């Protein structure tokens, strides 16, 4: 009898499933997988940086064991967030200069610059973030006060959108800019006294040429500072909209050495040097770096009246904006990129710039399959031109631009044109998707502000009551897809990230609140509790 009992125990033991050892198990979570019709889950297992199983807590714990088991205590988990349009390196560099964001007057700008210089003692003062539309006097400032305070030290203060500088006379002299200087694709703003110190779009390059280049140590610090900020908000991939070869190679080296963990989709700036080097090659793709697209500028920004419109600006009847890149150059560049393996991602704000870019895309992409070219911003569109997005063109938009610009955008565009501006739902309906980003440091890094602006169409004060053009709001599901799977698709990366599915990178974010169910007004205050890249908390 004892032998029989012993044999039964042996047989039963042998029938029990041996649990598989993995690196990480997350259990008891409120998981939005963004896969299979937005399926929910409770748990998943991670091995070698990828998801190997997704299901209920019971299913996962029955089959897997791990040295690290994370009980989420019902906290919300989504795929790692992707910022589809930002300036990652620029964000890092901004941490090294005068921060002028949020200034409520030009006097406050001057105070911050003086305080910075008193502490740093720079030979060339650089700042960024001012926006005259936030001031009581909504006009471009002049260099008058800067000339008095800094008669010998060059100063260059960049507008929030990156499309205008305010510089002093010392900077103008260093760059060789005077009343006879001519530059197409922008404006050297003048008044009765001469040059005001404001340079819009292409003339800014003359100042850029004399600004001292940051040392390698400063560049590395900038990248690491930017990564720290992005990870704190749950971002696991960033799309940097315009980088030079040297910066891309620095990012690659830091990633390869394990010093930079965030994944980067890098658009190369369309300088002759970059194009000559990259276009003849196959795109560069590693697990952390994707270099397969070209960033092109069609026009400037609406806030500085550099966006190109079909009809004059409502608040400047003789002004149409200016193309940053001449149309013949854009057309030639589109043909060149179409003949390569690269995407073309073009900044287009005004309705005229968007129309030209969209028509150019359609013409050069005939008979070419699945190129996924993007229009970055797609900010003001004429009704008939929305149909171009049905041709596989992806709108890459930034919802917080709508809530930042709504205070003055109608002044620029008028009541009729504003209806085709920041039209995210219309773009989604035409293209089948939208890729969502922030454009930081033009806007804040927080993807929760992106999400809130997309679904509530309000700023953090709750203005306007009822939301701005709510017919163009996205649902929460659409917003989350735009920040995950659709953004990944726009990068040709939908098979490796953007959803919590077996075989994909274990990039995910844990939150303190449920982004899909909490009252909309609470969304901006959500915190990213932990950010995981490749199954490791960063």
């Amino acid at each position: 009898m004892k032998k029989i009992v012993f044999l039964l125990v042996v047989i039963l033991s042998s029938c029990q499933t041996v649990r598989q050892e993995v690196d990480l198990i997350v259990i008891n979570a409120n998981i939005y997988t963004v896969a299979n019709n937005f399926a929910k889950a409770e748990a998943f297992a991670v091995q070698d940086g990828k998801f190997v199983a997704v299901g209920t807590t019971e299913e996962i714990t029955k089959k897997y064991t791990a040295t690290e088991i994370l009980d989420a205590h019902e906290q919300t988990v989504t795929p790692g967030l992707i910022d589809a349009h930002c300036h990652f390196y620029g964000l890092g560099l901004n941490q090294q200069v005068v921060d002028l964001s949020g200034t409520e007057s030009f006097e406050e700008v001057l105070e911050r610059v003086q305080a910075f210089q008193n502490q740093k003692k720079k030979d060339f003062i650089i700042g960024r973030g001012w926006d005259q539309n936030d001031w009581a006097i909504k006009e471009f400032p002049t260099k008058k006060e800067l000339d008095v305070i800094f008669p010998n030290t060059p100063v260059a203060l960049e507008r929030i959108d990156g499309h205008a500088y305010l510089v002093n006379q010392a900077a103008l002299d260093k760059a060789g800019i005077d009343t006879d200087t001519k530059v197409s694709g922008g404006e050297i703003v003048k008044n009765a006294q001469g040059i005001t110190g404001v340079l819009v779009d292409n003339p800014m390059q003359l100042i850029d040429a004399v600004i001292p280049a940051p040392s390698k140590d400063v560049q590395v610090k900038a990248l690491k500072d930017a990564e720290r900020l992005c990870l704190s908000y749950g971002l696991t991939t960033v799309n940097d909209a315009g980088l030079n070869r040297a910066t891309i190679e620095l990012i690659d080296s830091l990633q390869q050495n394990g010093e930079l963990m965030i994944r980067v989709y890098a658009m190369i700036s369309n300088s002759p040097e970059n194009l000559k080097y990259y276009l003849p090659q196959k795109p560069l793709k590693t697990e952390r770096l994707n270099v397969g697209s070209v960033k092109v500028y069609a026009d400037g920004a609406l806030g500085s009246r550099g966006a190109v419109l079909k009809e004059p600006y409502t608040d400047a009847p003789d002004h149409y904006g200016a193309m940053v890149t001449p149309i013949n150059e854009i057309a030639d560049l589109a043909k060149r990129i179409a003949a390569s393996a690269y995407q073309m991602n073009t900044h287009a704000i005004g309705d005229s710039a968007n129309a030209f870019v969209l028509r150019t895309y359609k013409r050069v992409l005939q008979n070419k399959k699945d190129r996924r070219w993007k229009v970055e911003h797609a900010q003001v569109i004429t009704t008939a031109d929305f149909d171009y997005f049905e041709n596989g063109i992806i709108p890459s938009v930034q919802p917080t631009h709508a809530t930042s610009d709504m205070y003055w955008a109608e002044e620029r565009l008028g009541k009729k044109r504003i209806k085709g501006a920041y039209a995210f739902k219309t773009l989604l309906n035409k293209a089948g998707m939208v890729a969502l980003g922030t454009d930081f440091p033009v806007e804040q890094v927080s993807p929760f502000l992106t999400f809130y602006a997309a679904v509530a169409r309000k700023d953090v004060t709750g203005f306007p009551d009822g939301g701005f053009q709510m017919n163009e709001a996205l649902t929460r599901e659409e917003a989350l897809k735009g920040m995950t799977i659709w953004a990944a698709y726009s990068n040709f990366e939908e098979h490796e990230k953007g959803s919590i599915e077996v075989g994909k990178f274990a990039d995910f974010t844990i939150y303190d609140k449920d982004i899909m169910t909490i009252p909309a007004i609470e969304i901006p205050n959500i915190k990213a509790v932990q950010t995981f890249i490749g199954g490791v908390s960063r």
Side-chain angles (χ1 to χ4, degrees):
M1 190 64 175
K2 290 182 178 180
K3 289 183 178 180
I4 293 173
V5 172
F6 176 75
L7 287 172
L8 286 173
V9 171
V10 171
I11 292 169
L12 289 173
S13 298
S14 65
C15 290
Q16 290 181 351
T17 303
V18 176
R19 292 191 296 171
Q20 180 181 336
E21 181 80 26
V22 294
D23 297 326
L24 168 69
I25 294 174
V26 175
I27 60 173
N28 299 322
N30 175 39
I31 301 170
Y32 295 95
T33 66
V34 195
N36 299 325
N37 298 320
F38 221 71
K40 296 286 293 294
E42 294 178 337
F44 52 73
V46 175
Q47 177 68 17
D48 297 328
K50 295 185 177 182
F51 297 113
V52 294
V54 182
T56 66
T57 295
E58 182 181 0
E59 290 169 341
I60 298 301
T61 55
K62 183 179 292 185
K63 188 175 180 180
Y64 297 93
T65 184
T67 52
E68 183 179 1
I69 298 177
L70 175 59
D71 188 335
H73 298 291
E74 299 184 352
Q75 287 182 311
T76 294
V77 179
T78 73
L81 300 178
I82 301 171
D83 192 308
H85 180 110
C86 66
H87 300 276
F88 177 71
Y89 180 52
L91 172 70
L93 289 177
N94 269 18
Q95 310 311 305
Q96 325 304 319
V97 302
V98 192
D99 179 12
L100 303 175
S101 59
T103 48
E104 297 181 355
S105 67
F106 185 49
E107 289 72 24
E108 186 178 353
V109 168
L110 296 173
E111 290 171 3
R112 289 197 194 181
V113 175
Q114 285 181 288
F116 176 89
Q117 182 63 357
N118 289 340
Q119 181 182 8
K120 302 292 186 180
K121 309 296 183 186
K122 296 285 187 178
D123 295 328
F124 199 125
I125 303 169
I126 303 169
R128 175 167 176 156
W130 61 271
D131 184 353
Q132 82 282 4
N133 294 308
D134 292 339
W135 306 342
I137 301 175
K138 302 181 187 300
E139 298 176 356
F140 275 147
T142 72
K143 64 185 181 67
K144 180 179 177 182
E145 289 86 351
L146 288 176
D147 288 344
V148 173
I149 301 170
F150 305 106
N152 301 310
T153 304
V155 180
L157 308 179
E158 193 170 10
R159 192 179 183 277
I160 185 73
D161 58 12
H163 287 268
Y165 275 148
L166 172 65
V167 301
N168 66 349
Q169 189 61 44
L172 292 170
D173 292 343
K174 192 173 184 66
I177 299 172
D178 58 28
T179 54
D180 295 324
T181 302
K182 307 292 182 185
V183 180
S184 62
E187 183 180 7
I188 298 173
V189 180
K190 300 174 184 176
N191 59 19
Q193 287 72 48
I195 295 175
T196 66
V198 173
L199 310 176
V200 180
D201 290 319
N202 283 354
M204 298 167 66
Q205 296 173 12
L206 301 176
I207 297 295
D208 291 338
V210 298
I211 293 177
S215 67
K216 185 176 179 180
D217 286 345
V218 170
Q219 294 176 59
V220 170
K221 186 176 188 304
L223 290 167
K224 291 183 176 181
D225 284 351
E227 178 184 55
R228 174 180 49 78
L229 285 168
C230 290
L231 292 176
S232 72
Y233 284 105
L235 292 166
T236 56
T237 294
V238 289
N239 289 14
D240 197 312
L243 291 170
N244 289 321
R245 176 184 171 186
T247 306
I248 291 171
E249 291 179 346
L250 177 59
I251 290 171
D252 189 27
S253 68
L254 292 173
Q255 289 174 329
Q256 297 293 348
N257 292 335
E259 297 181 64
L260 199 69
M261 306 311 297
I262 197 165
R263 304 190 202 274
V264 178
Y265 166 95
M267 308 180 205
I268 66 170
S269 298
N270 70 320
S271 68
E273 298 80 12
N274 284 338
L275 296 174
K276 181 179 179 181
Y277 177 77
Y278 283 105
L279 289 190
Q281 304 183 49
K282 292 181 179 180
L284 170 63
K285 184 72 171 69
T286 72
E287 288 193 350
R288 299 194 183 275
L289 181 63
N290 184 350
V291 186
S293 64
V294 180
K295 171 67 181 299
V296 178
Y297 282 93
D299 61 348
L302 194 64
S304 50
R305 297 190 185 87
V308 180
L309 302 178
K310 294 180 178 181
E311 300 294 335
Y313 278 77
T314 301
D315 59 353
D318 296 325
H319 194 69
Y320 289 80
M323 293 294 282
V324 172
T325 307
I327 58 175
N328 62 311
E329 289 186 22
I330 293 177
D332 290 343
L333 186 54
K335 292 178 184 177
R336 188 176 173 190
I337 298 172
S340 76
Y342 285 72
Q343 287 172 288
M344 183 170 178
N345 301 336
T346 307
H347 164 117
I349 299 286
D351 54 9
S352 181
N354 272 284
F356 176 75
V357 169
L358 290 164
R359 290 167 190 166
T360 300
Y361 279 14
K362 182 178 180 180
R363 184 173 64 254
V364 303
L365 292 179
Q366 285 184 353
N367 302 318
K368 294 184 181 295
K369 303 292 185 181
D370 197 29
R371 296 302 299 267
R372 306 187 195 182
W373 284 16
K374 306 181 196 180
V375 178
E376 305 293 335
H377 309 305
Q379 200 160 298
V380 186
I381 311 284
T382 304
T383 301
D385 291 332
F386 281 109
D387 291 341
Y388 284 100
F389 286 96
E390 295 176 345
N391 301 318
I393 304 305
I394 298 174
S396 176
V397 299
Q398 301 74 47
T400 46
H401 284 341
T403 53
S404 294
D405 298 356
M406 64 184 176
Y407 289 92
W408 48 262
E410 190 171 321
E411 295 175 13
R412 299 279 195 276
L413 300 172
K415 291 186 179 297
K416 182 179 179 180
R417 255 186 321 208
I418 194 68
K419 300 299 183 184
Y422 317 97
F424 308 140
K425 190 73 164 189
T426 300
L427 288 167
L428 168 60
N429 290 338
K430 293 293 184 179
M433 69 178 63
V434 285
L436 302 184
T438 60
D439 203 11
F440 70 66
V442 176
E443 301 284 357
Q444 295 183 52
V445 178
S446 173
F448 310 119
L449 295 178
T450 300
F451 194 98
Y452 177 64
V455 302
R457 304 277 289 192
K458 298 179 182 181
D459 67 11
V460 293
T461 70
F463 181 84
D465 187 31
F468 170 62
Q469 298 186 175
M470 282 301 291
N471 59 304
E472 295 295 350
L474 303 180
T475 67
R476 296 197 195 200
E477 181 175 325
E478 290 164 349
L480 186 56
K481 286 181 176 179
M483 299 164 68
T484 54
I485 192 63
W486 288 342
Y489 179 91
S490 79
N491 297 349
F492 286 92
E493 295 179 333
E494 74 274 17
H495 297 301
E496 62 185 61
K497 63 177 70 166
S499 60
I500 296 175
E501 295 184 83
V502 173
K504 291 191 176 184
F505 290 130
D507 298 353
F508 60 94
T509 305
I510 304 177
Y511 311 89
D512 65 341
K513 298 176 182 177
D514 188 341
I515 194 169
M516 302 301 291
T517 63
I518 63 171
I521 196 65
E522 297 180 24
I523 292 171
N525 299 320
I526 290 175
K527 300 286 189 265
V529 177
Q530 281 183 280
T531 304
F532 287 76
I533 299 178
V536 179
S537 181
R538 305 299 181 182

